[in-house]
Every structure is written in C-alpha cells, then in structure tokens.
C-alpha cells in the first residue's frame, strides 16, 4: 500500500502545487513542508467547525478533508504562490478526490469496517440508535452519560441493557471501535500516533497507548512497525 504522503508528493509534482497532509489540529504531517502558521491555524479551526466539507482556504489554495468511515482524520492542503485558475482548481480537486478515495479504500481492503446499521435485527431501538451515534462520533469523547441521554435512558439502565444485549461493556465496545480505526491509520506512517489519538477523541497519548495495548496486545508503535515490516 502506497503511503499517503508519497501519493501527495507525486501529485504535487504533477499539479505544480505545494501539497501537504494536516492532522485535525492543523499540524503538518508531510516532511519538508513548512506552511505559514496563520494559515495552518485557520485551516485547523475550519476543520473543527466545518468538518467533512470542502474547505476553500484562499484564492491561491484549497483543502480537502480526509474522512475515514464518517470520521474526520485530517485534511489535504494545496497551495500555490499565485491564484489558481478556476478550471485548474476544479480538475485538481477531482483528481485529488479520486486519489484519496483509492487510498482510503486501500486502508479498509484487508479488514472492512462494520457499517453503522450492521446490527442484529432484534436489537432494541434505543441500542440501534446508540450504535449509530457511536459510529458517527468516534472522534469525540462519548461518555456513558452522554450516550444514555441521547437515547432517553438513565446511565445505569443503559449500561445494564447494553451489556445484556451485546455481551460487552459499553466503554469496551466504544474503545474497540476507536482502536479498529487507529489500526487502519497505523498501516501508513504518514499519520503520527499522536494525530491518530487526537482524531479519535483521546486527549492523552498515554491513555490511547494503554487502551490500544489492552485491545490488541501490542503498543501503537509496535503495531505500526509490524505493518511496515509486512509491506512489500
């Protein structure tokens, strides 16, 4: 699987643009690329307030969100010293969208993600709603009190019901989903471990690493090294 940063480097040379990958905070993840700090802060703010939409940063550039299974994980920022003609902008965005779709498909090809509506038919409606909510909010801290409020149940009753119907504690279910996403991104070292943790709502890298090891048996860095060793 080709790394996203390598794809972007090749694309930049062809399109005659500066192209780089940013995490959800606006931090640059592409080596040897330096952006104006005001621009990265602006992009970072726009990503948090307008996720999953095409972001126009300036007449001389644009940004494309990187969305993996409904979760915003970063942004591709393209800039040029001079304003980009509209025709070039349109064709460049189209090509980049195709490259990004191919890349994201490659991440999930080996182990497809579970769809939000892929739940037992007989499951209670409250739990179906909860699972769908979890699926679309993995980049946030989905506390038990928050999710139970979403489905109009008490935290105590929701917790008991969730364990009874799904056979797993709520927090273990949520963390399992988050770590599954982390595993997909860790296949490519274009993404830093810190950026992956932040994109999944972990405020502390130590807690992310502890949770990852609990679920998988290895640390995020060990898993990333294993993936790199398996690459052809």
């Amino acid at each position: 699987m080709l790394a996203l940063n390598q794809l972007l480097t090749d694309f930049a040379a062809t399109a005659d643009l500066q192209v780089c990958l940013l995490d959800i905070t606006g931090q640059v993840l592409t080596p040897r690329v330096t952006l104006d700090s005001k621009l990265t802060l602006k992009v970072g703010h726009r990503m948090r307030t307008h996720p999953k939409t095409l972001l126009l940063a300036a007449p001389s550039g644009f940004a494309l969100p990187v969305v993996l299974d409904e979760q915003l994980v970063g942004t591709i920022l393209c800039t040029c010293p001079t304003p980009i003609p509209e025709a070039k902008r349109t064709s460049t965005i189209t090509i980049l969208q195709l490259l990004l779709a191919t890349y994201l498909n490659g991440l999930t090809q080996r182990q497809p993600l579970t769809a939000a509506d892929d739940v037992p038919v007989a499951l209670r409606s409250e739990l179906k709603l909860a699972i769908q909510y979890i699926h679309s909010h993995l980049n946030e801290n989905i506390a038990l009190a928050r999710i139970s409020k979403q489905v109009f149940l008490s935290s105590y009753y929701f917790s008991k019901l969730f364990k009874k119907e799904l056979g797993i504690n709520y927090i273990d279910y949520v963390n399992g989903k988050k770590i599954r996403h982390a595993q997909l991104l860790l296949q490519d070292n274009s993404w830093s471990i810190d950026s992956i943790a932040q994109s999944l709502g972990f405020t502390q890298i130590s807690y992310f690493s502890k949770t990852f090891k609990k679920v998988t048996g290895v640390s995020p860095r060990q898993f990333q090294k294993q993936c790199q060793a398996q690459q052809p």
Side-chain angles (χ1 to χ4, degrees), residues 149-163:
K149 186 178 180 180
Q150 288 291 324
V151 296
F152 306 102
L153 296 175
S154 71
S155 297
Y156 177 80
Y157 182 67
F158 175 81
S159 177
K160 291 289 186 183
L161 183 64
F162 196 95
K163 177 65 180 293

Side-chain angles (χ1 to χ4, degrees), residues 36-217:
D36 178 83
S37 59
K38 291 183 180 179
L39 178 59
T40 55
L41 286 173
K42 176 183 177 183
V43 172
H45 174 73
R46 288 283 295 179
M47 280 193 288
R48 292 188 294 275
T49 56
H50 297 79
K52 308 175 190 177
T53 59
L54 182 65
L55 162 67
L56 300 179
S60 57
F62 65 89
L64 194 67
V66 182
V67 180
L68 176 63
D69 196 39
E70 296 188 32
Q71 312 304 318
L72 178 70
V73 296
T75 284
I76 298 171
L77 179 62
C78 300
T79 57
C80 185
T82 57
I84 303 172
E86 188 60 34
K88 180 178 180 179
R89 181 193 296 271
T90 301
S91 60
T92 302
I93 290 173
T94 300
I95 295 170
L96 190 54
Q97 286 176 323
L98 290 172
L99 286 174
L100 183 57
T102 301
Y103 166 77
L104 292 173
N105 182 62
L107 286 182
T108 59
Q109 195 170 30
R110 293 181 181 178
Q111 295 176 301
L113 287 166
T114 303
D117 55 359
D118 187 13
V119 295
V121 176
L123 200 64
R124 286 184 51 155
S125 59
E126 295 96 333
L127 294 182
K128 288 182 178 180
L129 287 173
I131 289 173
Q132 290 171 352
Y133 187 87
I134 293 166
H135 184 88
S136 58
H137 292 80
L138 283 179
N139 59 334
E140 302 170 23
N141 178 16
I142 323 170
L144 178 62
R146 175 180 173 182
I147 191 69
S148 57
K149 186 178 180 180
Q150 288 291 324
V151 296
F152 306 102
L153 296 175
S154 71
S155 297
Y156 177 80
Y157 182 67
F158 175 81
S159 177
K160 291 289 186 183
L161 183 64
F162 196 95
K163 177 65 180 293
K164 178 184 177 182
E165 295 292 324
L166 293 170
I168 185 173
N169 290 326
Y170 169 74
I171 190 62
D172 290 336
Y173 179 87
V174 173
N175 283 339
K177 291 291 184 181
K178 286 176 179 279
I179 298 308
R180 177 70 189 93
H181 267 258
Q183 286 178 294
L184 294 177
L185 293 173
L186 284 167
Q187 295 177 87
D188 177 6
N189 61 10
S190 298
W191 305 95
S192 71
I193 292 173
D194 186 60
S195 71
I196 293 171
Q198 290 186 72
S199 73
L200 290 167
F202 289 92
T203 56
Q204 296 183 335
I205 187 68
S206 58
Y207 181 61
F208 169 70
S209 297
K210 181 180 178 180
T211 303
F212 190 96
K213 189 167 186 177
K214 179 182 178 181
V215 173
T216 68

